[in-house]
C-alpha cells in the first residue's frame, strides 16, 4: 500500500449532488490553492482518473484529505436544555430519542455550543442552549469505505453542515454584520434550514421537503410523460424554470415562512438574506426564486478578503476566480483544515 506524498493537501466536499475538491500546494498553513475541481456525484470514474493523474501513484495511491460529508440522516439541531437534568446520564439520549426521533445507540453524536462551536461541558451544566450534531454510525463506516475505494484517505472526516455553519458565523463576524441569515441546505428528500448571525446559530429546523418533491410538479406543469423525463429536464440546465419557480417551492416556502415568522416575533429582527447550498450549478436559479418569494436578497459574499484572513490564498490561474457561494462548504473545510494544522504545529515542532 502506497500513500500519496504529504507535500500536497486535498479538501473534498461530498454533497448529495456534487463533489467539490481543492488541491493545495502543501498540507500546512497557510494554504495555497492550486486547483479547484467539481464532479457529479455519479462520476466516480472521472474523479478516480483525476486522482491517479494528480497524485501520481496509480490505482494504489491515496490522496490524504480533509473530507466533508452530508449524510441524508444527519442531525444538526439547536435545543434548549433543562439545566436541572443536564447531569443525568440518560438525559441527552432522551432528547435524541424523544425530540429528534432517532436511536441514540445507532448514532455518533456530539453536543456543541451554538455560539462558537466548542464542545459543550455537561459537568458545568451552566448553558441552556446547545447544538446537537450527529450522524448514523453505519453511514460513517460506509463513507470511509467509499472514500478509500475512490482514492481518498480521510485524515479528517467532518460533518459538512457543522463546518459550514461555523464558517458562516466567522464570515458574519468578519463583516461585522448585524443582520440574521437564512441558510438552506437543499437535499433530495429534505431541506436543513438554519437562521444564524454573528452570535452563532439561532434556529435550526429540518423540513421534510426537498428537490425530489419538485419533480412531479415539473412533470405536471409541462405535461411530460413521466417523472424521469421531468427529472432529466430539471437538472439539464436547458430550460428556464424561473417562471414556475413559485409553484415548485410553494410547499417548502410555507414551512420556511412559519420558522421565519416565529424567529422575527421572538427576536424583533428581520432576516436579511438567504443562502441556498448543496445545489448543482444547473439549479442555481432556486436561490434567486427563494429569495424573491421571501422578500429578501440572495446572500452574496466578498470571498477573497475573508479567505485571506483565514490563511487561504489562490495560485494564479485558479478557476473559478473569484469563486462564488457554491464553494462555501469546501472553503469551510479548508478553514477547518487550517485550524487543525495550526493546532498540531506545536506538537510537530517538539
Amino acid at each position: 500500500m502506497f500513500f500519496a506524498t504529504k507535500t500536497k493537501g486535498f479538501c473534498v466536499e461530498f454533497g448529495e449532488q456534487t463533489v467539490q475538491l481543492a488541491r493545495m500546494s502543501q498540507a500546512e498553513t497557510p494554504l495555497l490553492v492550486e486547483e479547484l475541481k467539481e464532479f457529479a456525484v455519479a462520476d466516480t470514474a472521472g474523479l478516480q482518473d483525476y486522482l491517479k493523474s494528480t497524485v501520481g501513484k496509480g490505482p494504489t495511491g491515496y490522496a490524504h484529505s480533509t473530507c466533508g460529508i452530508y449524510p441524508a440522516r444527519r442531525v444538526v439541531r439547536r435545543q434548549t436544555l433543562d439545566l436541572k437534568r443536564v447531569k443525568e446520564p440518560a438525559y441527552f439520549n432522551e432528547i435524541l430519542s424523544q425530540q429528534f426521533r432517532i436511536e441514540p445507540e445507532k448514532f455518533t453524536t456530539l453536543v456543541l455550543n451554538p455560539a462558537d462551536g466548542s464542545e459543550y461541558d455537561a459537568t458545568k451544566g451552566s448553558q441552556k442552549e446547545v447544538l446537537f450534531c450527529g450522524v448514523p454510525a453505519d453511514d460513517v463506516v460506509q463513507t470511509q469505505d467509499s472514500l478509500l475505494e475512490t482514492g481518498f484517505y480521510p485524515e479528517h472526516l467532518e460533518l459538512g453542515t457543522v463546518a459550514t455553519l461555523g464558517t458562516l458565523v466567522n464570515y458574519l463576524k468578519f463583516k461585522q454584520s448585524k443582520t440574521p441569515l437564512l441558510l438552506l441546505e437543499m437535499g433530495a428528500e429534505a431541506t436543513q434550514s438554519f437562521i444564524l448571525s454573528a452570535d452563532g446559530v439561532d434556529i435550526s429546523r429540518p423540513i421534510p421537503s426537498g428537490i425530489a418533491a419538485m419533480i412531479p410538479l415539473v412533470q405536471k406543469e409541462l405535461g411530460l410523460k413521466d417523472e424521469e423525463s421531468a427529472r432529466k429536464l430539471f437538472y439539464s440546465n436547458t430550460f428556464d424554470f424561473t417562471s414556475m419557480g413559485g409553484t415548485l417551492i410553494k410547499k417548502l416556502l410555507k414551512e420556511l415562512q412559519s420558522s421565519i415568522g416565529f424567529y422575527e416575533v421572538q427576536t424583533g429582527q428581520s432576516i436579511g438574506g438567504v443562502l441556498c447550498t448543496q445545489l448543482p450549478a444547473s439549479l442555481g436559479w432556486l436561490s434567486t426564486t427563494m429569495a424573491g418569494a421571501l422578500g429578501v436578497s440572495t446572500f452574496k459574499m466578498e470571498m477573497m478578503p475573508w479567505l485571506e484572513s483565514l490563511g487561504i490564498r489562490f495560485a494564479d490561474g485558479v478557476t473559478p476566480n473569484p469563486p462564488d457561494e457554491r464553494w462555501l462548504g469546501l472553503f469551510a473545510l479548508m478553514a477547518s483544515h487550517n485550524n487543525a494544522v495550526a493546532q498540531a504545529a506545536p506538537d510537530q515542532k517538539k
Side-chain angles (χ1 to χ4, degrees):
M1 183 180 292
F2 300 95
F3 290 128
T5 173
K6 284 198 174 184
T7 58
K8 301 284 184 181
F10 289 86
C11 282
V12 195
E13 182 188 50
F14 288 85
E16 277 194 40
Q17 307 284 341
T18 61
V19 176
Q20 292 183 330
L21 177 149
R23 176 171 58 86
M24 296 159 295
S25 60
Q26 58 185 23
E28 299 174 354
T29 187
L31 301 181
L32 179 65
V33 180
E34 292 186 332
E35 189 173 25
L36 293 173
K37 296 285 287 185
E38 185 170 20
F39 300 85
V41 164
D43 188 16
T44 303
L47 182 53
Q48 289 176 325
D49 289 344
Y50 167 78
L51 286 180
K52 290 174 186 177
S53 64
T54 305
V55 177
K57 288 290 186 179
T60 57
Y62 285 93
H64 286 244
S65 312
T66 293
C67 299
I69 60 173
Y70 296 81
R73 295 184 294 162
R74 65 189 181 278
V75 172
V76 182
R77 300 280 297 275
R78 178 166 168 145
Q79 176 71 17
T80 301
L81 300 178
D82 179 352
L83 292 182
K84 295 178 181 178
R85 301 193 59 197
V86 164
K87 296 181 181 180
E88 295 179 17
Y91 180 49
F92 283 2
N93 280 351
E94 182 182 307
I95 291 174
L96 294 172
S97 60
Q98 295 185 7
Q99 300 293 324
F100 305 153
R101 298 290 189 265
I102 64 174
E103 299 175 77
E105 66 277 7
K106 295 183 179 180
F107 272 67
T108 299
T109 58
L110 191 64
V111 184
L112 305 177
N113 293 308
D116 59 12
S118 61
E119 189 170 349
Y120 181 73
D121 188 349
T123 60
K124 293 182 180 178
S126 58
Q127 183 177 319
K128 289 201 304 182
E129 301 299 323
V130 297
L131 199 66
F132 278 84
C133 307
V135 293
D138 288 348
D139 286 6
V140 174
V141 174
Q142 292 171 6
T143 297
Q144 288 174 327
D145 290 344
S146 177
L147 289 172
L148 290 171
E149 289 175 10
T150 304
F152 292 102
Y153 182 85
E155 291 191 335
H156 303 283
L157 188 62
E158 301 195 19
L159 188 54
T161 299
V162 177
T164 298
L165 288 170
T167 303
L168 271 175
V169 170
N170 177 281
Y171 178 82
L172 294 173
K173 288 180 179 177
F174 176 79
K175 298 295 292 183
Q176 297 182 331
S177 172
K178 305 296 183 184
T179 309
L181 165 69
L182 173 66
L183 170 67
L184 303 177
E185 288 184 346
M186 302 185 71
E189 304 297 334
T191 299
Q192 302 282 341
S193 68
F194 304 91
I195 297 177
L196 59 157
S197 66
D199 295 325
V201 180
D202 296 329
I203 281 184
S204 65
R205 184 185 176 192
I207 299 173
S209 179
I211 298 171
M214 302 178 189
I215 305 302
L217 298 175
V218 170
Q219 180 191 357
K220 179 181 178 181
E221 291 289 318
L222 298 179
L224 300 173
K225 62 179 181 179
D226 54 40
E227 287 192 11
E228 186 56 31
S229 299
R231 180 177 290 103
K232 288 180 179 178
L233 181 62
F234 190 60
Y235 284 102
S236 68
N237 206 22
T238 59
F239 185 87
D240 186 356
F241 284 96
T242 53
S243 62
M244 69 176 74
T247 300
L248 299 181
I249 66 169
K250 186 175 181 180
K251 181 180 179 182
L252 180 58
L253 182 65
K254 184 178 180 181
E255 298 285 351
L256 288 173
Q257 288 172 328
S258 173
S259 293
I260 293 171
F262 174 80
Y263 175 80
E264 292 182 343
V265 168
Q266 292 292 313
T267 65
Q269 291 186 297
S270 298
I271 301 300
V274 60
L275 174 62
C276 299
T277 62
Q278 297 302 301
L279 291 173
S282 61
L283 298 184
W285 56 270
L286 275 171
S287 295
T288 305
T289 300
M290 186 65 70
L294 290 170
V296 298
S297 60
T298 54
F299 187 68
K300 297 297 181 183
M301 302 177 68
E302 295 180 48
M303 287 282 190
M304 303 311 287
W306 168 64
L307 289 172
E308 289 177 4
S309 77
L310 297 175
I312 300 171
R313 296 179 295 114
F314 295 84
D316 292 339
V318 172
T319 57
N321 188 25
D324 60 29
E325 292 79 13
R326 288 187 61 247
W327 297 85
L328 175 65
L330 182 64
F331 296 142
L333 289 177
M334 294 166 68
S336 176
H337 172 97
N338 246 359
N339 288 337
V341 171
Q343 291 168 5
D347 294 331
Q348 293 169 353
K349 292 177 182 178
K350 289 179 182 179

